[in-house]
Amino acid sequence: MKTHSKSRASVLQTPSPPDLGGVCQTDALRKRKRFFVALGVALALLVGYNAAISHTARTSQRQRALAALERVPANTECVFLGNSLVEAGCDVDAFAAAWPQAGHAPAAVNLALGATTPVEHYLILRRAYERGLRPRILVYGFFDDQLNTTVAGDWSDLVGNRAFSYYFPERAAELYAPGSTLKRWELEFTGRVPMLAERSSLWTQIELLRRRIDEVGMPKHKTNRFGRVDDFGALEAKDVASFNRRCAAIVDGDVGFSRAIREIVRLAQEHGTKMVFVEMPMPSRHRDVFYASPAWARLRAHLEQLASTDGAAYVSASAWVRDDAAFEDATHLNETGAKFFSARLAATISRLSARPNDVARR
């Protein structure tokens, strides 16, 4: 009897084993909490980064161009379109002042945007028509083989002002990859995420800062309103041989206007706008090295024929500005050169308006 009681007491005094299930559950809750905290911090950082990029992009040239496009007067009769050559070279005030019929110059606006391609130019023009603009004249400035070259729209291409394509993804996709649903989805998704669509905005500021740091204690690089003057030498062909091959390939292959240019021409035709292609003025070096070649003469004749077939005018103005002091770099006119060129362009276009089927030669 005593033995039984002692055994019973021992049993009662034996400590209970730890609740391993409860410990595991507590650890799991802690890990889950840490995960959600980390996820929340990551999401907050992403939201903040996107907000910063979106804010930075508001001051970008493409955003300002888009905003200006919304404010273009409805009575605009002449539109200048193209890249920075047109942006710098077409002075609307000088154009109006030089119009032969005083007081009857068409109200003009310059919608050109630097560092862009015919795809972005098409998007700008289409948006202008959607807003109700009905210009009588469309002046499209270009240089070299820009009218025939197919434009790529890959991830690495659509940065800087070319990110303008993300504002109109469906239309841009039709030019980069006709009929591709995947391309349209890619552009639409990217366009909805500022850190992707506007990714170049922040890095542009960083690059400018890096360049300023590089110049500390060193001679400063010459700059103009578009950036470093040296950078624009890269716009030219690498050498005469490669330039001639490009020209010959277009002529011998009977290559027409690129898809984007054809769409620009189609838009102009649909809205009763007279299309005028203009070889933009080039400094003497570019004319002597590249445009003096027989290959360019053949390409120019080919372009004139393409323009004529589409009912457009062609103005060969590359040699209009003879003084190299009127250029601020290897391709862009300065303010003085722009006034001179725009005045002569007004006189030429006024004659084309009177004889719309003419092809203006140099």
Side-chain angles (χ1 to χ4, degrees):
M1 185 69 178
K2 290 182 179 180
T3 302
H4 177 74
S5 300
K6 186 176 181 179
S7 300
R8 184 177 179 183
S10 299
V11 170
L12 293 174
Q13 292 175 4
T14 302
S16 301
D19 186 358
L20 297 179
V23 172
C24 293
Q25 186 176 13
T26 301
D27 287 344
L29 288 173
R30 288 173 180 171
K31 290 179 180 178
R32 190 179 306 168
K33 183 178 180 181
R34 286 197 296 268
F35 170 76
F36 283 111
V37 169
L39 180 62
V41 171
L43 289 175
L45 289 174
L46 283 175
V47 170
Y49 183 64
N50 273 281
I53 291 292
S54 181
H55 178 75
T56 303
R58 290 178 186 175
T59 60
S60 67
Q61 191 180 15
R62 60 188 172 277
Q63 286 275 15
R64 294 198 302 269
L66 185 62
L69 185 57
E70 301 301 312
R71 300 191 300 268
V72 175
N75 65 342
T76 298
E77 298 176 281
C78 178
V79 169
F80 297 106
L81 192 62
N83 57 23
S84 59
L85 298 185
V86 180
E87 184 182 4
C90 292
D91 185 315
V92 295
D93 294 329
F95 181 84
W99 194 264
Q101 295 80 35
H104 295 282
V109 64
N110 192 335
L111 296 182
L113 182 60
T116 50
T117 71
V119 172
E120 291 76 48
H121 307 158
Y122 163 76
L123 298 175
I124 290 171
L125 181 63
R126 176 157 182 160
R127 180 57 183 162
Y129 282 130
E130 288 175 346
R131 290 205 60 254
L133 263 64
R134 294 296 181 268
R136 293 190 293 109
I137 304 166
L138 173 62
V139 177
Y140 189 86
F142 73 98
F143 83 124
D144 293 0
D145 57 350
Q146 180 184 341
L147 299 182
N148 310 91
T149 304
T150 300
V151 179
D154 296 329
W155 170 263
S156 59
D157 300 309
L158 301 184
V159 294
N161 283 343
R162 291 206 56 199
F164 198 89
S165 291
Y166 291 126
Y167 305 154
F168 307 96
E170 185 174 354
R171 298 168 197 159
E174 278 302 308
L175 295 179
Y176 293 130
S180 172
T181 303
L182 180 61
K183 188 64 178 179
R184 178 170 59 82
W185 287 350
E186 174 194 328
L187 295 180
E188 286 185 352
F189 172 77
T190 304
R192 294 176 184 274
V193 184
M195 64 181 290
L196 301 179
E198 307 289 354
R199 60 190 180 278
S200 60
S201 298
L202 182 60
W203 293 111
T204 297
Q205 302 302 319
I206 294 175
E207 174 62 15
L208 292 175
L209 177 61
R210 185 193 67 79
R211 290 188 171 194
R212 285 196 292 269
I213 293 173
D214 285 345
E215 289 181 341
V216 173
M218 302 291 290
K220 291 187 177 297
H221 291 270
K222 185 178 179 181
T223 61
N224 57 31
R225 52 188 153 162
F226 299 107
R228 279 187 182 176
V229 170
D230 295 342
D231 291 344
F232 298 104
L235 296 177
E236 295 184 302
K238 182 175 62 175
D239 51 50
V240 178
S242 62
F243 178 79
N244 288 344
R245 284 195 297 271
R246 280 161 42 186
C247 294
I250 293 170
V251 177
D252 295 340
D254 196 20
V255 177
F257 289 144
S258 68
R259 183 180 180 86
I261 293 296
R262 293 199 306 271
E263 287 300 304
I264 290 174
V265 172
R266 182 186 61 78
L267 271 180
Q269 291 173 341
E270 285 182 356
H271 293 88
T273 303
K274 179 63 181 179
M275 185 92 186
V276 182
F277 290 106
V278 179
E279 280 180 33
M280 292 301 291
M282 288 285 116
S284 60
R285 179 190 175 279
H286 195 92
R287 299 195 311 269
D288 295 343
V289 173
F290 299 108
Y291 286 5
S293 70
W296 172 250
R298 292 180 64 211
L299 179 55
R300 174 184 285 146
H302 180 67
L303 295 176
E304 289 175 345
Q305 181 58 51
L306 291 175
S308 179
T309 300
D310 285 330
Y314 187 100
V315 179
S316 179
S318 57
W320 279 9
V321 183
R322 294 284 184 172
D323 186 0
D324 285 346
F327 293 86
E328 54 185 309
D329 54 45
T331 53
H332 298 97
L333 288 166
N334 59 25
E335 185 177 347
T336 301
K339 290 182 182 299
F340 175 83
F341 164 69
S342 300
R344 184 167 176 180
L345 185 62
T348 302
I349 289 181
S350 68
R351 294 194 297 270
L352 288 176
S353 299
R355 303 189 302 275
N357 292 323
D358 283 357
V359 174
R361 293 182 178 274
R362 181 165 44 176

